[in-house]
Amino acid sequence: MPRDLIFPTIEPFATGLLPVDDLHSIYWEQCGKPDGVPVVFLHGGPGAGASPTHRRFFDPGFYRIIIFDQRGAGRSRPLGETRQNTTEHLVGDMEQLRRMLGIERWHVFGGSWGSTLALAYAEAHPQRCRSLTLRGIFLMRPTEIDWFFHGMGTFFPEAHRSFVEFLPPAERSDLTRAYHRRLTDPDPAVHLPAARAWSIYEGSCSTLLPNPEIVASAGEDAHALGLARIEAHYFLNNLFTPPDRLLRQVDRIRHIPATIVQGRYDTVCPITTADELHRAWPEAAYVVVPDAGHSAMEPGIRTALVETMERLKAVG
């Protein structure tokens, strides 16, 4: 397949809101072939939400493509809601959605935080996974979160400086809690500027070469609020116990066909984490894209993802 090729734009053949508890309803959609092989797409963040572009990683003539917005994200309601919002809730939501759609087993495809959720889901429900496709590996350990707040500035000092200097000097000693306080303030005049500062920081660090479109979309209010508020919530309240739990439980999923796709110059989720996962799970295919950063839309990464899904047609 030629480099930098994804499938044409498509529209869903079904959409809906699934009430998953007394507070949250998650948006879901189906695209592609109604009786095709099911694949579920897990967006990043947590809180980033999915977009129409994400439908294009999969051959619509072969796959039944299921995309949903996780709790508090995108088109799910309520937007930015952190109550009753944990990794375990999201894993349970996937099972509710799978059962509602009448799917026995599906391919699981996730990047960044989506790789975290994919691993957590697969380790809880390995019998439901035909395969795993994981991009930009994030295991939500304290060291990785510390890198987000401090390490990315090694490569993107301007973006990091803007992120830090958004806060008054007295609040800069604990960026996580300072941003969390502002992001959870009920006043939009307080939480929206903080959300934009957070989201633009992340977007600015997500590509190998500058991408103004990604940075501009990062600053849109709805996207920024879902992403920033829920990321801050997870980074403070939802760490795994023990921190390396996902690595420790790889034996539960070692038999599942898997591919890890990682940008060599990923600054948001550095390659060291993907390398650790691959060393713990050598059975998984490991594709390092030599000229890419973090974003799934980096040309080399999106091509590697499409090629992976093409190969998985043989798995069924």
Side-chain angles (χ1 to χ4, degrees):
M1 177 174 291
R3 186 170 172 78
D4 194 17
L5 180 66
I6 58 176
F7 290 97
T9 301
I10 55 172
E11 295 298 322
F13 63 79
T15 65
L17 281 172
L18 173 65
V20 288
D21 63 18
D22 60 352
L23 179 59
H24 290 274
S25 294
I26 61 169
Y27 169 86
W28 60 269
E29 65 181 39
Q30 295 191 83
C31 310
K33 188 177 181 183
D35 61 349
V37 175
V39 56
V40 62
F41 175 90
L42 307 181
H43 66 68
S51 77
T53 304
H54 296 144
R55 305 165 187 161
R56 301 178 61 191
F57 291 112
F58 315 101
D59 180 354
F62 182 85
Y63 287 108
R64 177 185 175 188
I65 306 158
I66 297 100
I67 295 177
F68 72 100
D69 289 335
Q70 297 157 29
R71 294 186 181 213
R75 294 149 291 187
S76 293
R77 294 292 177 265
L79 177 65
E81 180 57 68
T82 58
R83 290 174 296 165
Q84 297 166 213
N85 196 336
T86 67
T87 307
E88 288 71 25
H89 283 112
L90 303 187
V91 168
D93 293 348
M94 291 178 64
E95 277 297 274
Q96 284 198 53
L97 180 61
R98 182 190 62 78
R99 290 192 296 267
M100 187 270 291
L101 296 175
I103 293 169
E104 183 68 21
R105 298 171 65 240
W106 49 11
H107 295 284
V108 179
F109 179 112
S112 193
W113 161 257
S115 74
T116 322
L117 181 55
L119 287 165
Y121 175 81
E123 290 176 359
H125 302 283
Q127 72 279 12
R128 302 302 179 192
C129 301
R130 294 171 182 256
S131 75
L132 290 169
T133 300
L134 310 171
R135 187 268 312 166
I137 305 304
F138 179 62
L139 301 178
M140 208 168 70
R141 297 172 296 180
T143 53
E144 296 167 68
I145 294 169
D146 183 73
W147 172 266
F148 177 89
F149 284 106
H150 303 288
M152 291 201 301
T154 303
F155 297 95
F156 292 91
E158 304 91 345
H160 185 260
R161 186 161 51 248
S162 296
F163 177 64
V164 172
E165 292 180 355
F166 170 82
L167 298 170
E171 297 183 34
R172 295 175 190 170
S173 62
D174 189 336
L175 298 178
T176 317
R177 294 187 185 279
Y179 264 99
H180 184 265
R181 281 193 299 272
R182 289 171 177 265
L183 290 165
T184 54
D185 191 291
D187 185 354
V190 176
H191 64 239
L192 281 177
R196 287 192 290 267
W198 179 300
S199 187
I200 289 171
Y201 168 56
E202 185 169 339
S204 298
C205 301
S206 291
T207 54
L208 180 61
L209 299 177
N211 189 318
E213 289 183 5
I214 287 180
V215 176
S217 64
E220 295 172 357
D221 285 354
H223 173 85
L225 180 60
L227 174 74
R229 182 182 286 173
I230 295 176
E231 280 192 347
H233 165 69
Y234 269 72
F235 290 175
L236 268 179
N237 300 301
N238 288 289
L239 299 183
F240 294 114
T241 303
D244 61 348
R245 191 183 88 187
L246 295 179
L247 285 175
R248 289 189 182 201
Q249 295 182 353
V250 161
D251 281 347
R252 299 184 181 184
I253 58 174
R254 199 174 296 281
H255 62 286
I256 299 173
T259 301
I260 300 165
V261 175
Q262 180 72 33
R264 169 68 68 187
Y265 300 106
D266 186 335
T267 304
V268 178
C269 297
I271 194 171
T272 51
T273 302
D275 183 72
E276 285 184 76
L277 178 61
H278 180 56
R279 283 188 285 118
W281 192 7
E283 297 86 354
Y286 185 35
V287 180
V288 176
V289 181
D291 55 352
H294 179 68
S295 171
M297 300 316 296
E298 299 265 36
I301 289 181
R302 64 191 186 191
T303 298
L305 292 171
V306 171
E307 289 175 341
T308 298
M309 295 312 301
E310 290 293 284
R311 287 193 296 271
L312 286 170
K313 289 178 177 179
V315 174

